[in-house]
Amino acid sequence: MTPSEPAETRTEHRPTPPTGDRPAQTATLAEIAREAGVSAPTVSKVLNGRADVAPATRTRVEALLRAYGYRRRRAEATRSPLIDLVFHELESAWAMEVIRGVENVARDTGLSVVLSESAGRLTPGRTWADQVAARRPHGVILVLSGLDESQRALLTSRSIPFVVMDPAGDPGADVPSIGATNWQGGLAATRHLVDLGHRRIGAISGPPQMMCSRARIDGYRAALETAGLPVEQELIKTGDFHHEAGYRLGRELLSQDDRPTAVFAGNDLQALGLYEAARELGLRIPEDVSVVGFDDLPVARWVGPPLTTVRQPLMEMAEAAARLVLELGREEQAQTATRVELATSLVVRTSTGAPPAGR
């Protein structure tokens, strides 16, 4: 027990979940405090993310908050002028486009943005959720990430709305999300290469656990199949959306005896790695190999030759996520399952052309 915690926390009391004759939504803080064997101020401390609560007490109170589906009334939830923006990884121009979009909305509404990273994990750590509860932001936006059940319950009980942008997996039917038409983008990229005359088309996908990556490669497969072309497994490499993977896997593809005449790189960073691999192998783009990326980052226009790519409206997606999380946080607005997909579009530049003569 911490010195500042009320003496009631020493009382041993096993939490009792709500039964059928007691609706889950009717529990008050006083009732939860009574069942937990603590004082109402202690429950309030847990709700506010205060550190001066014993771990066992916090666990007991959190279990009851989840069991009763407790949701703090929005009028009680004094918010800080913040939006929490959580990244799966925070290290690329891709992330900068998302930050700009959220900042655009935050600036117009007088809010600031708090950035955090889940260090490659698909869900943030438990300490992150406690910190968010203590900050009491207007809302949380998770990018290529998600929440586990306990984290969702914690934010819901504090009336902190959240939105997932470009979800790594299926966010669930009740989780608001903003995405893009990744399957259509993969289809358009590959169909463009087929229309140019390419018949041996390689692909470098992103991480298989990410829904956007799977959708893009599924679009690639669909374009080949509808064109009557075989889907050759040796031409599909699994990357991680980073430059290094594009370089390493690009060398593998372009070093094959019967190398592909075109490659769909899955994202712009991998496409840039593929550019480097082609240069080292003495291959010209697009004369010897055509390259298509995905995202349309600003750098896609600057490289030589400028990159043909699928435009994913990252800034617009981020702005939509920020507007949605603020709408969900309004007192009169309950959190609803809103799923939005913004359209992708093919941007043709000079990294693609007809296959080499005789290929």
Side-chain angles (χ1 to χ4, degrees), residues 15-337:
T16 304
T19 60
D21 58 353
R22 185 176 182 184
Q25 296 293 333
T26 61
T28 65
L29 280 185
E31 290 171 322
I32 289 172
R34 187 161 53 251
E35 283 210 43
V38 300
S39 67
T42 297
V43 176
S44 181
K45 286 182 180 182
V46 174
L47 276 171
N48 291 324
R50 290 272 297 275
D52 54 341
V53 178
T57 301
R58 182 184 302 278
T59 300
R60 192 160 67 247
V61 171
E62 290 282 8
L64 283 165
L65 291 170
R66 287 196 300 271
Y68 281 104
Y70 178 84
R71 184 190 295 264
R72 167 180 278 179
R73 292 197 302 273
R74 297 187 189 277
E76 296 174 344
T78 304
R79 298 189 181 97
S80 301
L82 303 170
I83 296 176
D84 262 71
L85 179 56
V86 186
F87 283 90
H88 169 255
E89 290 179 337
L90 181 57
E91 58 174 32
S92 70
W94 187 95
M96 289 305 301
E97 293 296 294
V98 175
I99 293 169
R100 287 191 184 100
V102 176
E103 284 278 9
N104 287 344
V105 175
R107 183 171 55 250
D108 290 345
T109 52
L111 302 177
S112 299
V113 178
V114 175
L115 295 177
S116 55
E117 182 191 53
S118 57
R121 297 188 301 268
L122 294 183
T123 57
R126 169 68 199 199
T127 56
W128 167 85
D130 290 334
Q131 290 164 0
V132 171
R135 281 195 294 270
R136 300 190 299 280
H138 273 63
V140 176
I141 300 171
L142 300 114
V143 184
L144 282 175
S145 190
L147 299 173
D148 62 31
E149 185 178 346
S150 65
Q151 291 168 337
R152 287 172 56 184
L154 186 148
L155 296 185
T156 299
S157 67
R158 276 70 170 179
S159 289
I160 300 174
F162 54 88
V163 171
V164 179
M165 177 183 155
D166 213 1
D170 184 357
D174 58 342
V175 176
S177 65
I178 304 289
T181 54
N182 289 291
W183 183 88
Q184 185 63 42
L187 180 79
T190 311
R191 183 172 287 167
H192 168 66
L193 295 170
V194 171
D195 290 345
L196 288 171
H198 294 276
R199 296 296 177 263
R200 191 163 172 78
I201 302 171
I204 303 175
S205 74
Q209 72 271 25
M210 289 188 177
M211 191 163 60
C212 63
S213 173
R214 296 198 304 271
R216 292 173 196 178
I217 210 69
D218 285 346
Y220 156 87
R221 293 175 186 272
L224 294 179
E225 290 169 354
T226 56
L229 298 174
V231 177
E232 301 181 60
Q233 209 50 47
E234 69 270 18
L235 294 183
I236 302 174
K237 302 294 182 179
T238 301
D240 59 9
F241 284 155
H242 290 96
H243 175 278
E244 292 79 6
Y247 168 74
R248 174 175 51 83
L249 299 173
R251 282 194 66 99
E252 290 181 16
L253 283 171
L254 299 180
S255 296
Q256 295 181 14
D257 291 337
D258 188 14
R259 68 171 185 268
T261 61
V263 179
F264 170 42
N267 78 330
D268 288 351
L269 293 180
Q270 290 184 152
L272 297 180
L274 183 62
Y275 269 44
E276 184 179 350
R279 281 195 298 271
E280 286 191 2
L281 294 170
L283 299 176
R284 298 165 300 164
I285 299 172
E287 291 85 357
D288 299 313
V289 60
S290 289
V291 179
V292 182
F294 201 111
D295 286 334
D296 195 26
L297 298 176
V299 69
R301 301 189 296 272
W302 307 333
V303 293
L307 177 66
T308 294
T309 188
V310 176
R311 182 175 187 272
Q312 181 176 209
L314 292 170
M315 190 177 297
E316 293 90 336
M317 290 165 63
E319 289 173 345
R323 285 193 294 267
L324 177 57
V325 83
L326 294 179
E327 289 172 8
L328 294 172
R330 292 173 184 160
E331 185 172 348
E332 70 277 7
Q333 185 97 15
Q335 183 142 315
T336 56

